[in-house]
């Protein structure tokens, strides 16, 4: 073999080796790229399928939120009134449907499928129209499928797509039996569902496809091959003859097209090919990372206001708390609620409420410093993190700026709307050093700001913890104390004008708590009203007072009535029941009402009072002179006695304005044939003055404070029990 042949063979072998190596490398590269392309296409197709489900679920969720808002706003109440004639019911339902429910056809039906009202293309619908819809979807109320309506969504609102051969129809069912429906009127055959349908058009699908990036979204009758590019649409009989179809995007194929010209250059320039592939892969990775970053950003943003949401707010607060030790500065957490936001929603509609949220969010961002955070936490509630607080009053300055910004009128739909806000402020690390504690304390301060009249800011103070603890204790322990008979009643005597005898007693509740000692009524009555415990508490007081006062014949028993208790629908029946069960004489019972009771619903109050008087129960107007004190109430309502509030006697002078007012009230009561009792009598001078102007009864510390029933027993055995006190 010559050197030339040997060299040629060596070159051939070298070229073959290099070609084989290049082919292996190229095959490996192509294999890797093919796998990446397939994975990218598969991942994008899966994401698109998830977006389809999200789009459908979002449509149902929007309907569900609209339905819940209609229920909360009371818009559905007119169509649930069993006293309405069918024509009026049809009209009311048509108003609700045309204004709030965006359907081609809407029906109010019973569980058996009987239509009570309906609207079809703006006209009155008939039973036949609804029966035609039931034939399309047999699981609707009154259908042949004896199952609960099912479909997309959870809760009272469900929806389902149906293909009836010619059209695709979206059918929504709102179950009126679910949710908070207690106390609503019932039909003889109760309305159970609102059923609506809407024909799915290509224009609607194009809009959804554009919003959720779903190319060529359409309903087809030929089954698409790709399972990730279709969604079944059932027929009335349960079979699937139509599909929701779209064209899955193939970002991997786009990458191949971009690299096609480069793959030809790989044969000539191997190193350049790998450099190019590396560059392109890195660019693709950066694009994916940017897309993922955008997704994370959207996940942490409130869609309506454009502000960060609660999740982002919590993360940001955790980060700032972690840096407190390094920065040596404090931070403040401000929670704020918009005042009168519900009134704007109810008066101008939810679109106006949404616009108000957006404008309020924009104003909040303008009053913050760089580095501070404002987020929408939900509804009309916002949260603010104020960082790098060097001055102790910085949060107060920010709170005032927020109040100034939000009290300026808002322009909503051409109407000037004025609101305000209540702000609660907690500081770190002074008040707390973790997120949950700071949010809880700021919420406590917010509650205090609302209680103080709203449109103000309030700082958390340690004594607020006692109020919170007391509320929890009342809510947890008071119900047990009532059930276990752990409360006490004291009685304050009501004496005749000459001070010689007891003519009545007023029942006063006391709570001897096993851990906190004797808790006065001023600390738990208001909380009991707020927490819904006042009705069982008041019934316990009335029952126990009647049982104990049976042993004092001829003595009137006065029991205070809470406004919440009086407005309860079963109040009169409960009073009569207690009297019958205890055997107490109704003629000896005197219920003390405040003026606010009769102001809120005068007609209902008058009916209840007449019913009580018909059973022999007396009624006294308590705290007279501190509220409305209208003569109309004294003339209209059946009171037997008025009680002059203690505040008139506290700083009374014989010739002062208070004395003139007391003198006028006494003569007014006597002229109207009412008995007059003065509360808060503490001095002999007050006694002599009231005796001189003709007051009938007296009550106060001059005679006795509230005492146990045993002391009342003792006082009743004495001939002139208060002679020594009057002499002194």
């Amino acid at each position: 073999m010559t050197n030339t042949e040997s060299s040629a063979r060596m070159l051939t072998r070298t070229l073959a080796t290099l070609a084989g190596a290049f082919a292996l490398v190229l095959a490996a590269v192509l294999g890797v790229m093919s796998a990446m392309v397939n994975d990218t296409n598969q991942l994008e197709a899966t994401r698109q399928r998830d977006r389809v489900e999200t789009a459908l679920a979002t449509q149902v969720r929007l309907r569900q939120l609209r339905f819940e808002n209609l229920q909360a706003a009371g818009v559905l109440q007119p169509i649930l009134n069993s006293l309405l004639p069918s024509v009026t019911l049809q009209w009311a339902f048509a108003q609700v449907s045309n204004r709030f429910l965006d359907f081609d056809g809407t029906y109010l039906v019973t569980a058996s499928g009987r239509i009570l009202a309906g609207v079809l293309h703006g006209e009155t619908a008939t039973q036949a129209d609804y029966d035609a819809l039931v034939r399309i979807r047999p699981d609707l109320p009154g259908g042949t499928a004896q199952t609960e309506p099912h479909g997309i969504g959870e809760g009272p609102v469900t929806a389902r797509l149906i293909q009836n051969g010619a059209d695709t129809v979206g059918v929504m069912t709102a179950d009126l039996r679910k949710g908070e429906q207690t106390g609503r009127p019932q039909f003889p055959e109760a309305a159970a569902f609102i059923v609506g349908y809407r024909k799915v058009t290509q224009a609607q699908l194009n809009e959804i496809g554009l919003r959720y990036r779903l190319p060529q979204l359409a309903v087809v009758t030929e089954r698409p091959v790709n399972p990730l590019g279709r969604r079944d649409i059932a027929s009335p009989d349960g079979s699937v003859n139509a599909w929701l179809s779209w064209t899955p995007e193939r970002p991997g194929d786009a990458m191949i097209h971009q690299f096609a010209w480069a793959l030809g250059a790989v044969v000539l320039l191997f190193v350049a090919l790998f450099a190019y592939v590396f560059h392109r892969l890195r660019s693709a990775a950066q694009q994916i990372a940017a897309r993922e970053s955008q997704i994370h950003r959207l996940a942490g943003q409130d869609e309506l206001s454009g502000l960060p949401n609660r999740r982002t707010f919590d993360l940001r607060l955790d980060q700032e708390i972690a840096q407190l030790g390094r920065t040596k500065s404090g931070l403040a957490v401000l929670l704020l609620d918009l005042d009168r936001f519900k009134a704007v929603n109810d008066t101008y509609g939810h679109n106006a409420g949404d616009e108000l949220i957006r404008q309020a969010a924009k104003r909040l961002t303008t009053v913050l410093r760089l580095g501070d955070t404002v987020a929408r936490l939900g509804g009309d509630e916002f949260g603010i993190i104020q960082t790098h607080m060097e001055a102790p009053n910085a949060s107060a300055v920010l709170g005032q700026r927020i109040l100034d910004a939000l009290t300026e009128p808002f322009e909503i739909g051409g109407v000037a709307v004025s609101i305000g806000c209540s702000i609660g402020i907690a500081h770190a690390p002074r008040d707390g050093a973790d997120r949950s504690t700071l949010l809880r304390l700021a919420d406590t301060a917010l509650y205090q700001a609302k209680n103080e009249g709203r449109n103000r800011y309030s700082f958390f103070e340690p004594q607020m913890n006692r109020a919170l603890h007391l509320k929890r204790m009342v809510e947890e322990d008071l119900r047990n104390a009532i059930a276990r008979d752990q409360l006490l009643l004291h009685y304050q005597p009501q004496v005749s004008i000459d001070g010689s005898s007891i003519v009545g007693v007023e029942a006063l509740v006391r709570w001897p708590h096993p851990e906190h000692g004797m808790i006065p009524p001023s600390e738990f009555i208001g909380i009991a009203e707020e927490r819904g415990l006042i009705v069982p508490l008041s019934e316990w007081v009335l029952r126990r007072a009647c049982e104990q006062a049976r042993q004092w014949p001829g003595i009137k028993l006065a029991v205070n009535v809470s406004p919440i208790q009086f407005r309860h629908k079963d109040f009169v029946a409960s009073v009569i029941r207690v009297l019958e069960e205890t055997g107490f004489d109704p003629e000896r019972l005197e219920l003390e009402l405040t003026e606010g009771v009769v102001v809120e619903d005068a007609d209902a109050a008058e009916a209840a009072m007449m019913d009580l008087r018909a059973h022999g129960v007396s009624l006294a107007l308590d705290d007279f002179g501190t509220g409305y004190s209208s003569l109309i109430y004294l003339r209209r309502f059946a009171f037997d006695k008025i009680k002059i509030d203690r505040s008139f006697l506290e700083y009374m002078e014989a010739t002062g304005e208070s004395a003139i007012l007391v003198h006028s009230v006494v003569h007014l009561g006597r002229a109207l044939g009412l008995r007059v009792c003065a509360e808060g009598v503490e001095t002999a001078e007050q006694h002599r003055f009231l005796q001189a102007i003709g007051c009938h009864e007296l009550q106060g510390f001059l005679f006795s404070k509230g005492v146990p029933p045993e002391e009342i027993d003792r006082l009743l055995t004495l001939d002139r029990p208060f002679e020594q006190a009057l002499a002194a």
Side-chain angles (χ1 to χ4, degrees):
M1 184 181 296
T2 62
N3 291 335
T4 302
E5 293 175 346
S6 176
S7 297
R9 186 173 295 179
M10 183 180 296
L11 179 60
T12 301
R13 289 198 296 267
T14 302
L15 290 175
T17 302
L18 291 175
F22 176 76
L24 290 175
V25 172
L26 183 60
V29 171
L30 291 177
V32 170
M33 293 186 65
S34 177
M36 292 178 61
V37 167
N38 289 335
D39 290 343
T40 303
N41 290 339
Q42 188 77 5
L43 178 60
E44 185 62 26
T46 302
R47 287 178 175 176
Q48 284 187 289
R49 176 59 184 264
D50 293 339
R51 288 201 295 272
V52 170
E53 298 298 332
T54 300
L56 296 177
T58 299
Q59 296 298 316
V60 176
R61 180 57 180 162
L62 290 175
R63 300 286 184 183
Q64 183 173 353
L65 289 175
R66 178 177 292 181
F67 174 73
E68 292 173 353
N69 289 337
L70 290 178
Q71 285 182 308
V75 175
L76 294 181
Q77 291 306 313
I79 67 172
L80 298 179
N81 190 342
S82 61
L83 300 179
L84 290 177
S86 59
V87 174
T88 306
L89 175 62
Q90 171 64 35
W91 178 87
F93 184 76
Q95 297 303 309
V96 173
S97 176
N98 294 335
R99 185 175 180 184
F100 299 105
L101 305 177
D102 187 17
F103 294 106
D104 295 335
T106 315
Y107 307 90
L108 177 66
V109 298
T110 66
S112 63
R114 184 171 70 87
I115 180 172
L116 300 174
V119 178
L120 180 63
H121 300 296
E123 302 294 333
T124 301
T126 64
Q127 184 69 46
D129 297 328
Y130 177 73
D131 293 339
L133 182 61
V134 172
R135 287 193 292 273
I136 296 176
R137 184 174 170 184
D139 62 337
L140 290 177
T144 57
Q146 301 299 319
T147 60
E148 291 286 335
H150 61 280
I152 304 171
E154 298 178 357
V157 178
T158 60
R160 186 178 180 187
L161 290 176
I162 296 293
Q163 170 62 244
N164 66 350
D167 298 316
T168 301
V169 179
V171 183
M172 185 208 78
T173 304
D175 192 344
L176 302 180
R177 302 169 302 177
K178 300 179 180 179
E180 295 191 8
Q181 299 292 329
T182 55
R184 68 179 178 86
Q186 296 291 318
F187 289 96
E189 185 178 5
F193 300 91
I194 291 179
V195 178
Y197 82 91
R198 187 177 183 184
K199 181 181 177 181
V200 178
T201 65
Q202 187 59 46
Q204 296 171 356
L205 295 177
N206 292 341
E207 180 182 355
I208 295 175
L210 181 63
R211 183 182 303 171
Y212 292 92
R213 296 188 292 110
L214 301 170
Q216 301 180 13
L217 183 65
V219 176
V220 298
T221 56
E222 184 176 347
R223 181 182 182 185
V225 177
N226 188 353
L228 293 177
R230 67 173 186 261
R231 187 183 188 278
D232 296 346
I233 301 178
S235 298
D237 59 359
S239 62
V240 179
N241 299 314
W243 294 264
L244 189 63
S245 171
W246 61 92
T247 302
E249 294 181 353
R250 299 179 62 83
D253 293 351
M255 292 173 60
I256 289 294
H257 291 311
Q258 292 175 351
F259 293 152
W261 63 272
L263 292 176
V266 170
V267 180
L268 302 175
L269 196 55
F270 181 79
V271 176
L273 172 66
F274 278 98
Y276 176 77
V277 171
F278 175 77
H279 172 72
R280 295 302 301 176
L281 291 177
R282 185 176 65 178
S283 176
Q286 290 175 346
Q287 292 178 8
I288 294 175
R291 180 177 296 180
E292 293 293 334
S293 175
Q294 183 181 15
I295 292 174
H296 283 297
R297 181 180 61 82
L298 293 176
Q301 187 179 58
D302 176 63
E303 183 178 357
L304 176 61
S305 64
L307 297 177
N309 59 14
R310 180 179 287 274
R311 176 176 178 272
T312 304
F313 181 83
D314 291 345
L315 293 175
R316 174 71 172 164
L317 182 54
D318 287 338
Q319 293 171 356
E320 293 297 336
I321 292 174
Q323 296 177 5
L324 284 179
R326 294 191 295 270
T327 60
K328 304 298 183 181
S329 62
L331 65 84
V333 175
L334 294 83
L335 295 183
L336 64 95
D337 279 352
L338 301 182
D339 297 336
R340 297 184 295 278
F341 174 76
K342 185 178 184 301
V344 174
N345 249 350
D346 295 343
T347 305
Y348 302 105
H350 295 289
N351 290 335
D354 292 345
E355 178 61 23
L356 180 59
I357 290 292
R358 285 189 287 268
Q359 292 190 26
K362 185 176 181 180
R363 291 191 186 182
L364 288 174
T365 57
T366 61
V367 301
L368 298 185
R369 303 172 307 172
L370 185 64
D372 293 345
T373 301
V374 58
R376 183 186 177 214
L377 306 183
D380 62 337
E381 182 181 5
F382 295 85
I384 295 175
I385 305 172
Q386 185 183 18
T387 59
H388 306 297
M389 289 180 52
E390 304 297 340
N393 65 336
S395 57
V397 174
L398 176 58
Q400 189 59 51
R401 288 206 307 268
I402 294 172
L403 290 175
D404 295 339
L406 295 185
T407 51
E408 289 292 326
F410 291 84
E411 187 74 19
I412 307 294
V415 178
V417 176
S418 296
I419 62 170
C421 71
S422 301
I423 308 172
I425 306 174
H427 291 97
R430 186 189 69 187
D431 298 328
D434 62 89
R435 170 165 52 89
S436 61
T437 299
L438 287 173
L439 291 177
R440 176 173 57 83
L441 300 183
D443 190 63
T444 301
L446 173 61
Y447 184 84
Q448 181 68 20
K450 291 180 178 180
N451 281 347
E452 291 177 350
R454 300 179 181 270
N455 201 31
R456 66 187 64 232
Y457 59 84
S458 176
F459 292 95
F460 172 78
E461 298 176 0
Q463 58 265 30
M464 294 180 185
N465 273 333
R466 168 168 170 77
L468 277 179
H469 179 72
L470 183 60
K471 287 182 180 179
R472 296 193 188 98
M473 183 265 293
V474 168
E475 189 170 8
E476 295 169 2
D477 295 353
L478 184 56
R479 184 176 285 106
N480 293 332
I482 297 172
R484 298 171 184 173
D485 220 17
Q486 295 175 343
L487 301 176
L488 296 176
L489 285 184
H490 285 186
Y491 299 89
Q492 186 174 28
Q494 296 174 343
V495 304
S496 59
I497 188 61
D498 59 2
S500 63
S501 61
I502 299 176
V503 297
V505 290
E506 179 180 354
L508 306 171
V509 65
R510 300 290 185 265
W511 185 4
H513 195 277
E515 297 180 7
H516 303 282
M518 187 67 73
I519 301 178
S522 59
E523 293 194 16
F524 69 85
I525 293 296
I527 301 175
E529 290 181 335
E530 177 186 333
R531 301 291 176 162
L533 297 175
I534 192 63
V535 172
L537 173 62
S538 299
E539 186 168 340
W540 182 93
V541 170
L542 178 61
R543 182 180 301 275
R544 177 52 56 88
C546 289
E547 291 173 350
Q548 293 180 344
R550 287 179 58 189
Q551 60 185 331
W552 306 322
I555 299 297
K556 278 278 189 178
L557 170 64
V559 178
N560 289 282
V561 176
S562 163
I564 296 176
Q565 179 194 13
F566 184 80
R567 288 191 289 268
H568 195 273
K569 61 179 182 178
D570 296 327
F571 170 67
V572 176
S574 67
V575 171
I576 303 306
R577 184 179 64 254
V578 169
L579 290 173
E580 292 175 349
E581 293 175 356
T582 59
F584 190 77
D585 182 6
E587 299 288 342
R588 294 175 53 206
L589 178 61
E590 183 176 81
L591 299 180
E592 296 188 358
L593 311 177
T594 59
E595 297 169 13
V597 170
V598 298
V599 171
E600 184 167 329
D601 190 345
D603 292 337
E606 184 178 21
M609 294 168 68
M610 294 298 293
D611 197 1
L612 288 169
R613 290 205 65 184
H615 287 84
V617 178
S618 301
L619 300 172
L621 181 58
D622 197 11
D623 299 334
F624 184 79
T626 60
Y628 301 93
S629 302
S630 173
L631 297 182
I632 296 177
Y633 300 137
L634 292 179
R635 185 182 65 180
R636 175 179 179 182
F637 297 105
F639 289 109
D640 301 281
K641 178 197 292 186
I642 57 176
K643 300 187 70 176
I644 302 174
D645 187 71
R646 65 181 66 248
S647 60
F648 287 98
L649 300 179
E650 188 172 2
Y651 301 106
M652 186 185 70
E653 298 178 1
T655 59
E657 293 181 355
S658 294
I660 296 173
L661 289 174
V662 172
H663 185 276
S664 300
V665 171
V666 171
H667 279 266
L668 173 64
R670 296 180 67 92
L672 294 175
L674 305 178
R675 296 188 63 79
V676 182
C677 177
E679 296 181 289
V681 180
E682 298 183 359
T683 66
E685 290 78 6
Q686 293 172 345
H687 172 216
R688 287 192 293 270
F689 173 77
L690 293 168
Q691 188 175 21
I693 64 176
C695 192
H696 297 98
E697 299 172 8
L698 306 174
Q699 181 178 346
F701 286 176
L702 176 63
F703 306 101
S704 174
K705 62 180 181 179
V707 294
E710 295 80 8
E711 178 63 14
I712 298 296
D713 291 337
R714 188 189 70 82
L715 291 174
L716 289 175
T717 61
L718 302 177
D719 185 26
R720 299 179 65 86
F722 308 112
E723 183 176 12
Q724 184 176 359
L726 294 176

